[in-house]
Amino acid sequence: AQSVSQHNHHVILSEAASLELGCNYSYGGTVNLFWYVQYPGQHLQLLLKYFSGDPLVKGIKGFEAEFIKSKFSFNLRKPSVQWSDTAEYFCAVNANTGGFKTIFGAGTRLFVKA
Amino acid sequence: GAVVSQHPSRVICKSGTSVKIECRSLDFQATTMFWYRQFPKQSLMLMATSNEGSKATYEQGVEKDKFLINHASLTLSTLTVTSAHPEDSSFYICSARDDRLAGRGDTQYFGPGTRLTVL
C-alpha cells in the first residue's frame, strides 16, 4: 500500500539553526512529491513540489527539498530557520497511476525558539 | 495564484441534521477535487475523490451514504454530512486539482477548511 513516513513528529530549534525534515514514501511508479506547511490557525499552503527534472527543488521562504529516488526520500531543508517558520509541515505524494490521490505523512510540528 | 474557498468556515448543528459544505475553485477549473478530514493534531485523511460529472470514489471505511459528494461543475464540489452525529465532528478540508497542471506536478490547492461541531 502507498504510504508516506515522516520521521520527526516534533522538532524544536533555535533561530538561525539549520533544519532538515525527513520524508520517505512507498509508492510504485512515477511520483509527484510535495511539501505543505500549515501555520497555526491557517490552511495548508504549498511550499514546494517535485515532478520531474532537477531533483533539488527550491520553494518559497528559503526552503528546498531533494528527491533521492534510490532512497525513496524527499527531505525538506532550510539553512537558517526563523521564528516565523513555526508551523506543521506535511510531506505528500501522488502518482499518475493512483488517480492523483494525494497521500499525506503524519506531519512534523516545528517550533522555533526566538 | 490559485484559490480554493470553502463555505461555511464553521458550523454547529444538532445531532441528526444534515450539513452541506461547499468547495469552490475560484480562478481555475478542477475536474477533480478531494475531501479530507483532519482530526486535532493529526494528518489529513483522504475521504473521497470527487470527479465532475461522475460518482465520487470513496476511500475504504468511509460511508458513501453518510458523506454525499456532488461535483456539479468544474468549479464546485459539495460534501453533505447526512444525519450527523457527534463523532462526525471534525475539520473537513477540500482540495482542487488544477486542470492546467495535469501531467506537470498535478498540484492540488487546499481550501481553508470547515470546522463541523455536532451537538
Side-chain angles (χ1 to χ4, degrees):
Chain A
Q2 299 105 0
S3 65
V4 179
S5 298
Q6 290 183 241
H7 315 301
N8 318 99
H9 297 294
H10 291 91
V11 173
I12 301 174
L13 294 173
S14 298
E15 275 195 314
S18 64
L19 170 72
E20 180 159 2
L21 301 182
C23 174
N24 286 88
Y25 66 92
S26 171
Y27 218 111
T30 303
V31 296
N32 304 309
L33 297 155
F34 308 85
W35 276 97
Y36 287 90
V37 61
Q38 189 172 31
Y39 296 103
Q42 297 189 27
H43 62 280
L44 282 168
Q45 299 174 41
L46 180 67
L47 267 182
L48 48 79
K49 69 178 183 182
Y50 169 82
F51 64 99
S52 68
D54 189 342
L56 183 61
V57 180
K58 294 191 184 298
I60 61 172
K61 305 186 180 186
F63 287 90
E64 65 178 31
E66 185 174 12
F67 171 50
I68 303 179
K69 190 174 181 179
S70 61
K71 295 184 178 180
F72 297 92
S73 70
F74 191 57
N75 293 354
L76 180 72
R77 299 193 292 251
K78 185 171 184 177
S80 176
V81 295
Q82 300 173 314
W83 176 81
S84 57
D85 292 323
T86 295
E88 186 145 22
Y89 294 81
F90 294 95
C91 180
V93 60
N94 67 28
N96 295 347
T97 57
F100 308 108
K101 294 190 300 185
T102 299
I103 306 299
F104 282 79
T108 297
R109 194 172 292 272
L110 171 67
F111 179 73
V112 180
K113 298 183 291 185
Chain B
V3 177
V4 175
S5 69
Q6 274 185 249
H7 179 79
S9 58
R10 190 182 298 266
V11 58
I12 301 172
C13 69
K14 292 182 179 180
S15 186
T17 61
S18 294
V19 174
K20 180 185 282 189
I21 303 170
E22 291 186 350
C23 176
R24 292 181 186 273
S25 57
L26 298 186
D27 51 0
F28 64 96
Q29 293 185 332
T31 303
T32 305
M33 293 185 177
F34 301 89
W35 287 96
Y36 294 85
R37 190 169 174 176
Q38 186 179 29
F39 291 101
K41 299 183 180 181
Q42 294 188 30
S43 188
L44 282 73
M45 299 299 296
L46 180 65
M47 297 175 65
T49 302
S50 170
N51 295 296
E52 188 267 339
S54 65
K55 289 183 180 179
T57 305
Y58 291 82
E59 295 301 299
Q60 193 171 9
V62 177
E63 298 176 61
K64 62 181 180 181
D65 294 330
K66 181 165 191 60
F67 298 100
L68 300 179
I69 291 172
N70 184 17
H71 194 150
S73 78
L74 288 173
T75 59
L76 173 64
S77 175
T78 60
L79 169 69
T80 301
V81 183
T82 62
S83 187
H85 288 96
E87 58 265 29
D88 299 323
S89 298
S90 190
F91 195 54
Y92 292 88
I93 303 172
C94 75
S95 71
R97 177 174 166 245
D98 190 337
D99 286 350
R100 298 168 299 183
L101 295 178
R104 294 187 291 123
D106 292 295
T107 302
Q108 296 173 36
Y109 297 99
F110 285 81
T114 296
R115 186 163 301 284
L116 170 64
T117 303
V118 185
L119 303 176

